[in-house]
Amino acid sequence: YDKLPLLRQQLPDAYKIDPITDQYVFVKAAIQGVVREGTIAALLTSLMILLFLGSWRSTVIIAISIPLSVLTALIALWATGETLNIMTLGGLALAVGILVDDATVTIENINWHLEHGKGVIESIMDGARQIVQPAFVSLLCICIVFVPMFSLPGVSGYLFVPMAAAVVYALIGSFILSRTLVPTMAMYLLKPHDEEHHESKQGNMLARMQYRFEHLFADFRESYRNLLALAMTRRRLFTIGFLTFVLTSFSLVPFLGSDFFPSVDAGQITLHVRPPVGTRIETTTQLFARIEQDIRRVIARGELAAIVDNMGMPQSSINTIYSNTGIIGGQDGDIYVSLKPGHHATSDYVRTLRARLAKDFPGTTFSFPPADIVSQILNFGTPAAIDLQITGSNRQATEKYALALLRQMRTVPGIADARMQQSNEYPQLDFKADRARIAQYGLTERDVTNAVGIALAGTSQSAPNFWIDPRNGVSYAIVSQTPEYRMNSLESLLSLPVTNSNGQSQVLGALGSFTRTQQPAVVTHYNVLNAVDLYAATQDRDLGAVAADLQRLIEKNRKDLPRGSTIALRGQVATMNTAFDGLFLGIGLSIVLIYLLIVVNFQSWLDPFVIITALPAALAGIVWMLFATHTTLSVPALTGAIMCMGVATANSILVVSFARERLAAHADPVRAAVEAGVARFRPVLMTALAMIIGMAPMALGLGEGGEQNAPLGRAVVGGLIFATAATLTFVPVVFSILHGRAKAKAATRAAVATGEIYA
């Protein structure tokens, strides 16, 4: 954009420059959407904290820590060479809910001590001392879950490692601030509980509303106490029922489907058109005009911004290399359709155009390559997400097998734009020279070749020549070529004069004969062998299900595969499977690393197991949320699952660490579990709600590119809802059961040691 005014100054006034397809518009809108989501999340989280704590002073302290933590992360990202993009900003938006946790737990714990009649300084010191270890362990648990993500292969690693780095940097900054700035601000802003409570009673209507909320919340917490006590009386039944529900939830996984990344509505459509191979560009121009008319009938005038045609081969080989629409010859062309803001779903227009264009223009192959930059990157330059590739040394046998497979491939549900990339029907004229006659006229085959090459292609290769403009010193290529209007038929070519260096001349038709043949329009090799690519896209079905059907089709036809040939399903499918393997391994490693980390910090094998019992519930919540919102499993969703592991563990640590303190005080596991659940009910609920509210804007997938991170937000929200319920109910019950058994075994061993009973 900065260069456009300068370019306009260098062109005649009659020229007009307008951007046609600009990915910057999509990228800018997506970044603005992520920033907006983070801002909304911060505001909603601050309001939630104000409602729970009932203190504007506490809310101000927590709210100030959010931008400072983000600023710390931005400095760290700059220091490590990262840029501000959709993924890093998405990581910061993802971290907003977690950033509140450290400051919220610190302030809430200080308020808890203030409620017990302590002074401000004493409450700050006691509160900080009480939570520093669980807070540090929680920080390590959340950060350690991202460690496996740094080993993600391929495009998944390039996309999500910056996001993970942004979250880790922000969390480290938040922890440091919660140990330094937050207590310092609390010393200056917070007051003893009696004074602040008196102020709230004398306050305005909002203060009275908050006071009423406190009473309602107290009743809610009492109901929770009764529910937890009831679960304690039927611990075995509750445990069996809870585990049955969690295990049953995983039966929904096959119904979720799987995609590499969610589709993104970028407001653009790219249509690749391939008329019969060998069609002249003049005929292609007329065809494109009729196709444009069909497009204008489908897309409403008020939503159509521009239609641009690009026909024929690019002039530059560089442009040909970077073309990702699958062009193979001069008959091919692309139609770029730009939609105005507020348009209907682009996928609906694509679905309608697929059906209409195939019906109105038989014999022409249509495909819709990805228009947005994200999908183009995920396709690695190929024009479709699915690439069924057959390689072999016998090209004719391989292509025959590929055509038979293509007919079956088109019957697979969810397959769209199925086509063969290669074609053997490109028309060709072969000239068979008569050597005796050429010699008779004193000519050579080289003379014939030079004459035909210069007439049809010019002298750019056979005799390159350049002219330097003395005004600017720029060299320009000088090419000599017969005008196309004089070489527009076979008769004109037969009349082409062939001359040697001695001036002897004869027309081309007298030196040989022409025959019409066909040749491959494009030749593809994979590991030296000839390759045939069957490209296809998906429509109204997830990529994983379509790939599974294609794999069964491959196995069904493997017996007919030509000897020495191989067949493989490539494209996004292979990359998706690799990424899924890495992410599933990452989830498993996250749980193991969290467990081992807590074992080291708690110096116990029992309590860390109690803590991670909330994690299966988190996975069940993710499954239910994806199922309820019709969201497929994808790399963002699995990344959200990894994120949820750390946050769910952090809340469980708060409950179990307090239960350990109460157990040491009175040695009653059931009583300690109930007291821990009730005492940590508010901070656990606050931190969970902060994360859920912070993820809500992302989960809704609003704005340009919002569909990409929506599965991540939904996974975190669903996982935290179930993980919070498990942390407040299932974890205390498991704690009481295991510590009750440990206490009974210890009592038995003591009795045996004292001789009260015999072993």
Side-chain angles (χ1 to χ4, degrees):
Y1 282 108
D2 296 338
K3 298 297 182 182
L4 285 181
L6 181 61
L7 290 175
R8 290 191 180 99
Q9 294 175 8
Q10 299 174 4
L11 295 175
D13 295 336
Y15 282 87
K16 182 180 179 182
I17 301 177
D18 286 324
I20 300 172
T21 56
D22 190 359
Q23 295 291 349
Y24 170 73
V25 176
F26 166 72
V27 173
K28 182 179 179 180
I31 291 177
Q32 290 175 346
V34 173
V35 173
R36 183 171 57 251
E37 290 172 358
T39 304
I40 295 174
L43 293 175
L44 293 176
T45 304
S46 300
L47 291 175
M48 186 273 297
I49 294 170
L50 178 63
L51 183 64
F52 267 89
L53 296 181
S55 170
W56 65 267
R57 295 181 175 87
S58 300
T59 305
V60 167
I61 295 172
I62 297 172
I64 289 177
S65 68
I66 296 176
L68 292 178
S69 300
V70 172
L71 180 61
T72 304
L74 291 176
I75 295 174
L77 289 172
W78 169 79
T80 53
E82 297 290 349
T83 61
L84 284 180
N85 50 57
I86 298 175
M87 304 312 297
T88 53
L89 288 175
L92 295 177
L94 174 66
V96 166
I98 316 175
L99 296 180
V100 182
D101 289 359
D102 287 327
T104 300
V105 171
T106 302
I107 291 297
E108 197 280 334
N109 211 43
I110 293 173
N111 281 320
W112 186 81
H113 286 279
L114 289 173
E115 291 174 358
H116 285 73
K118 297 182 181 180
V120 175
I121 301 296
E122 185 182 4
S123 298
I124 292 174
M125 297 302 294
D126 291 345
R129 186 183 306 109
Q130 188 177 31
I131 66 169
V132 62
Q133 182 180 359
F136 181 67
V137 176
S138 300
L139 169 69
L140 292 180
C141 288
I142 297 177
C143 291
I144 205 171
V145 299
F146 289 103
V147 171
M149 292 187 63
F150 286 89
S151 62
L152 281 178
V155 69
S156 304
Y158 290 118
L159 288 175
F160 282 93
V161 166
M163 172 183 280
V167 175
V168 171
Y169 295 152
L171 290 178
I172 294 175
S174 174
F175 177 80
I176 295 174
L177 291 173
S178 67
R179 306 275 76 80
T180 54
L181 180 66
V182 171
T184 303
M185 294 183 65
M187 182 180 66
Y188 288 104
L189 292 179
L190 296 186
K191 294 183 178 181
H193 183 70
D194 292 338
E195 296 182 23
E196 191 160 1
H197 187 67
H198 177 73
E199 286 184 6
S200 64
K201 291 179 65 176
Q202 302 298 325
N204 53 21
M205 182 179 66
L206 294 177
R208 291 192 296 272
M209 289 176 58
Q210 197 281 327
Y211 185 71
R212 183 179 180 184
F213 171 79
E214 286 185 355
H215 283 279
L216 292 175
F217 184 77
D219 294 339
F220 180 56
R221 182 164 53 186
E222 190 62 29
S223 300
Y224 161 72
R225 180 199 295 270
N226 296 333
L227 178 64
L228 184 58
L230 179 63
M232 289 296 179
T233 60
R234 297 174 175 84
R235 290 182 294 180
R236 183 182 297 274
L237 180 63
F238 175 77
T239 303
I240 295 174
F242 190 89
L243 291 176
T244 302
F245 171 76
V246 169
L247 294 176
T248 305
S249 301
F250 294 131
S251 63
L252 296 175
V253 172
F255 300 98
L256 296 180
S258 58
D259 282 305
F260 189 22
F261 271 74
S263 59
V264 176
D265 191 342
Q268 297 176 341
I269 299 174
T270 300
L271 172 60
H272 183 72
V273 182
R274 179 176 296 169
V277 176
T279 301
R280 292 181 60 87
I281 196 168
E282 297 89 340
T283 307
T284 301
T285 303
Q286 300 173 3
L287 175 66
F288 272 51
R290 300 199 303 272
I291 293 174
E292 277 193 28
Q293 295 176 1
D294 263 25
I295 294 174
R296 296 181 187 277
R297 294 189 189 101
V298 172
I299 302 177
R301 172 182 286 184
E303 298 183 12
L304 185 60
I307 299 179
V308 178
D309 300 341
N310 189 7
M311 290 170 282
M313 293 291 291
Q315 292 294 325
S316 170
S317 59
I318 297 177
N319 293 341
T320 305
I321 292 172
Y322 285 103
S323 174
N324 58 358
T325 58
I327 187 169
I328 65 170
Q331 74 285 330
D332 285 19
D334 300 318
I335 299 178
Y336 301 98
V337 181
S338 300
L339 303 179
K340 294 180 179 180
H343 58 82
H344 287 82
T346 305
S347 58
D348 293 340
Y349 284 136
V350 171
R351 186 183 299 105
T352 304
L353 287 173
R354 273 197 177 110
R356 179 162 185 162
L357 294 177
K359 179 181 178 182
D360 293 348
F361 302 95
T364 301
T365 302
F366 297 94
S367 60
F368 290 83
D372 62 282
I373 190 172
V374 176
S375 299
Q376 291 174 8
I377 292 173
L378 297 178
N379 282 350
F380 290 94
T382 60
I386 297 174
D387 178 10
L388 193 61
Q389 189 178 77
I390 305 102
T391 59
S393 56
N394 188 334
R395 183 164 53 86
Q396 289 77 14
T398 302
E399 291 177 355
K400 182 179 179 181
Y401 173 81
L403 286 173
L405 192 62
L406 178 62
R407 287 190 288 270
Q408 301 180 51
M409 184 177 174
R410 286 171 174 161
T411 63
V412 175
I415 283 287
D417 300 340
R419 62 202 183 275
M420 181 185 290
Q421 173 68 0
Q422 293 75 16
S423 173
N424 281 326
E425 299 176 354
Y426 198 83
Q428 175 177 285
L429 285 176
D430 287 341
F431 180 74
K432 186 176 180 180
D434 189 334
R435 296 186 179 184
R437 191 175 300 177
I438 291 176
Q440 180 181 353
Y441 292 114
L443 301 172
T444 63
E445 289 195 41
R446 181 175 183 178
D447 296 330
V448 176
T449 302
N450 288 339
V452 174
I454 292 173
L456 299 181
T459 59
S460 59
Q461 297 295 327
S462 59
N465 192 12
F466 296 91
W467 173 75
I468 299 179
D469 190 341
R471 293 175 300 178
N472 54 20
V474 177
S475 62
Y476 297 91
I478 303 299
V479 179
S480 174
Q481 181 181 352
T482 303
E484 290 187 6
Y485 65 87
R486 296 185 59 182
M487 196 61 61
N488 56 4
S489 65
L490 183 58
E491 289 74 14
S492 301
L493 187 59
L494 291 172
S495 302
L496 176 69
V498 179
T499 306
N500 63 9
S501 58
N502 297 325
Q504 294 175 305
S505 178
Q506 185 57 263
V507 295
L508 182 64
L511 304 177
S513 60
F514 280 97
T515 56
R516 296 180 183 271
T517 61
Q518 291 181 334
Q519 69 168 357
V522 60
V523 178
T524 306
H525 291 94
Y526 186 85
N527 289 340
V528 182
L529 294 176
N530 289 299
V532 176
D533 295 286
L534 302 181
Y535 287 136
T538 59
Q539 178 177 286
D540 301 329
R541 198 177 181 206
D542 62 281
L543 180 61
V546 172
D549 286 351
L550 287 178
Q551 196 62 49
R552 285 191 287 269
L553 184 64
I554 291 173
E555 298 302 325
K556 176 183 175 183
N557 291 272
R558 192 174 292 277
K559 63 180 183 301
D560 300 324
L561 193 65
R563 184 177 180 181
S565 298
T566 60
I567 182 170
L569 189 57
R570 306 190 187 280
Q572 278 195 29
V573 177
T575 312
M576 179 183 71
N577 293 334
T578 303
F580 276 23
D581 292 341
L583 287 170
F584 281 124
L585 180 62
I587 294 175
L589 285 177
S590 299
I591 297 175
V592 173
L593 292 174
I594 287 172
Y595 178 71
L596 295 178
L597 175 66
I598 304 173
V599 166
V600 173
N601 283 272
F602 277 67
Q603 293 296 304
S604 168
W605 294 96
L606 183 63
D607 289 326
F609 175 77
V610 176
I611 290 172
I612 66 172
T613 54
L615 300 186
L619 294 176
I622 294 170
V623 172
W624 275 106
M625 178 60 74
L626 297 180
F627 180 78
T629 57
H630 303 287
T631 305
T632 58
L633 272 178
S634 59
V635 171
L638 293 177
T639 304
I642 293 177
M643 181 75 187
C644 194
M645 297 297 99
V647 179
T649 304
N651 287 335
S652 292
I653 289 174
L654 289 176
V655 174
V656 174
S657 61
F658 192 83
R660 282 163 56 95
E661 293 180 9
R662 302 312 303 161
L663 181 64
H666 50 65
D668 186 346
V670 175
R671 180 182 170 187
V674 174
E675 289 178 352
V678 175
R680 294 305 185 198
F681 182 71
R682 186 169 68 174
V684 168
L685 203 60
M686 285 179 63
T687 54
L689 284 176
M691 189 68 181
I692 292 171
I693 293 174
M695 287 291 98
M698 183 182 292
L700 293 175
L702 305 176
E704 295 285 349
E707 305 94 333
Q708 177 176 301
N709 287 327
L712 191 153
R714 292 166 188 168
V716 173
V717 170
L720 277 183
I721 291 175
F722 280 60
T724 303
T727 299
L728 294 174
T729 56
F730 186 66
V731 170
V733 170
V734 174
F735 180 89
S736 65
I737 293 174
L738 296 182
H739 277 276
R741 291 181 178 178
K743 180 181 178 182
K745 290 181 180 180
T748 302
R749 287 196 298 269
V752 171
T754 57
E756 296 180 11
I757 60 175
Y758 294 100

